[in-house]
Amino acid sequence: MVAPMTKTPQITFSEDQAEAWDAVADTLREAGVDIDDGTTTGDSGGSRVRSVIGKAGSGKTMLLSSLYKALDEAGVDLVSGDYEAKRKKDRRTLAILAPTNKAASVLRSRGVPATTIHRILYTPVYDPEYERIAEWLMGQGQRPNVDLLQKTGLTEDMLDRAHAFYEIHKSIPGALASAGLRGSDFISGWKRRDEPLDIGFVDEASMLDERQFDDLREIFPTLVLFGDPAQLAPVNQSGEMSFERLPEAQKHVLHRIHRQTADNPILDLAHALADDALQFDQFERMIEDRAAQDERVVWASRVESDLLSRSPVLVWRNATRIRLIHAFRGAFNAPVDELLPGEPLICDGIELPLKHRKRRIDLEARGLIKGAQVVYLGPGKKPGFSRLHVIGSEDPRLSAASIVKIELPDEDEPFIPFAARMGATFLHGAAVTIHKAQGSQWRDVQVFAPDLYAAARAGRVEAGIPLWKRLAYVAITRAEHRLLWVTRARLARPTGPLRTDDLPKGAAQALTLEAQEPPPE
């Protein structure tokens, strides 16, 4: 084992991790940040991109986390979706990004303060009172005088609570929530970023399309991509990922699977897919054998409907997805013309005219972006509005004008139980395609095996790898704890009604759900 020279010596790296650390450290040193000495200077100019790639369990997240801590110790400031202070001439900054809100929340759950790419592309304009509080929390300003905080109504005790929270969690929205406030209440507008940033780390880089990659290179003169080459490439990119187009000298591959993951049967199955000779029926026998030995792998003869409201069943074909959604709604006796509280939805985009651009950006900044997983909480106060819980968002509850589409088997047009004239559009989320599941993780994951068998029979190949293997790899590595390999098109009856009381209320838990009701259409 090789330990890098770092101010966090308790982390012991494998040889390939140490090599990747040294390569990223060299890149950062060229940019004027020495993480070994803990010193910073001005950026020497130019553009530099590196990638750290490896399969599940190879230690990408541990390396990213260690690099973040070293940059923090060197005095590099974090730029996040929480708050961005006015940039100072010699100030060095780091932004840690993920393509989706769910992927960012996975990093945050592991102590890495990540935000979405979208949240960095657009910057908020804050009320001056909020700026004073945020800069004080970040150590960049004096403690504000409560007599001057008329809009917030904060007391000295509330400021103390906010400061104590921030010292532990480094979250400005969380700190304000501990004082009974919501940061989004103090955003007066949004603007497209017109100035470059500094250093950017991007997780789940396999999901980046060419346009996003170009946008990031324009914003960040120093960019480090962390990705998994065995996942599915973005649609319409011929199986190629952004980091695969980099010169070999800029790629750093993590090969070793670490001790803490060596006894994980789910990761064992994922890495078995690298065997070129492995056929689909052999892989299923491996799953069946593991299921007989370890409860974390389940050889299932049916889909468990109780799990679908929080973790969708993963499929390949759209036809399968629609039939499973229809079966799920039938199992819970959902009315044809309305949604039940607790039904899962997937955001399919926001349709608002230019005059509502601020509202659109605000919703997207709260995590309601294309692909976001949402739980329906009930109707809003105005016709066509829905109260929603955005999974993975730090401030998850909001109300939005909604257009809900429920696709039906053998029907070209979806059924729309209710709709505003414009707003956020949603598809049902009890089942999703494996492509859309990338970047997400759930404690328990159900994979619909007949669809992967169909992909194997089709004989399709993507970037030299059979498509069924890429699909299987992505699907099973979405599971944090338990994998259910569903072998038959059957659905179990639910053990109880849909519920919403298990959902965390997030930073705004003390506020009413519709405090931010959008303006009338």
Side-chain angles (χ1 to χ4, degrees), residues 121 123 191-196:
L121 288 177
T123 59
K191 64 179 181 178
R192 174 85 181 190
R193 181 179 297 279
D194 53 9
E195 293 183 357

Side-chain angles (χ1 to χ4, degrees), residues 136-201:
W136 167 63
L137 290 173
M138 295 169 66
Q140 298 177 12
Q142 295 182 343
R143 182 184 177 107
N145 185 334
V146 294
D147 294 334
L148 301 178
L149 301 178
Q150 298 176 358
K151 294 180 183 177
T152 63
L154 287 175
T155 65
E156 297 290 354
D157 287 343
M158 293 163 75
L159 282 178
D160 289 340
R161 288 203 304 272
H163 187 267
F165 183 98
Y166 186 81
E167 287 298 295
I168 298 173
H169 300 288
K170 303 299 181 186
S171 168
I172 290 174
L176 288 177
S178 71
L181 297 175
R182 179 159 55 183
S184 58
D185 292 341
F186 299 94
I187 295 175
S188 59
W190 294 86
K191 64 179 181 178
R192 174 85 181 190
R193 181 179 297 279
D194 53 9
E195 293 183 357
L197 286 173
D198 194 354
I199 301 166
F201 287 174

Side-chain angles (χ1 to χ4, degrees), residues 338-518:
E338 62 181 286
L339 292 176
L340 293 175
E343 287 199 64
L345 302 173
I346 300 290
C347 181
D348 199 38
I350 298 178
E351 299 177 2
L352 288 172
L354 284 175
K355 67 178 181 178
H356 292 301
R357 179 175 176 274
K358 177 183 178 295
R359 178 57 186 165
R360 175 187 181 124
I361 296 173
D362 181 49
L363 289 173
E364 290 174 337
R366 296 275 300 277
L368 199 61
I369 57 179
K370 188 175 177 68
Q373 301 161 46
V374 176
V375 176
Y376 177 75
L377 300 176
K381 292 179 180 178
K382 302 183 181 78
F385 280 75
S386 302
R387 290 181 293 126
L388 305 167
H389 179 101
V390 183
I391 300 293
S393 174
E394 290 186 280
D395 191 6
R397 301 209 168 180
L398 52 82
S399 178
S402 306
I403 304 165
V404 180
K405 303 174 183 178
I406 299 178
E407 298 150 294
L408 299 175
D410 305 317
E411 296 286 344
D412 292 334
E413 295 296 326
F415 172 70
I416 300 177
F418 62 88
R421 293 195 302 275
M422 62 188 74
T425 60
F426 297 95
L427 302 175
H428 205 278
V432 302
T433 62
I434 295 169
H435 274 88
K436 287 189 180 295
Q438 285 197 144
S440 297
Q441 285 190 308
W442 297 273
R443 185 182 186 279
D444 304 303
V445 166
Q446 301 183 87
V447 180
F448 193 70
D451 261 24
L452 274 72
Y453 174 68
R457 288 287 301 270
R460 289 176 55 180
V461 174
E462 184 179 280
I465 300 175
L467 177 60
W468 78 265
K469 288 188 175 182
R470 283 191 181 271
L471 291 167
Y473 179 88
V474 171
I476 65 180
T477 54
R478 300 311 92 200
E480 294 176 330
H481 177 72
R482 188 171 62 135
L483 167 68
L484 293 87
W485 187 262
V486 180
T487 60
R488 298 181 65 183
R490 300 171 60 199
L491 182 70
R493 291 186 179 279
T495 58
L498 290 169
R499 52 186 297 205
T500 62
D501 59 348
D502 61 318
L503 295 169
K505 301 220 174 21
Q509 60 183 346
L511 304 177
T512 61
L513 295 178
E514 300 192 53
Q516 290 293 296
E517 187 84 65

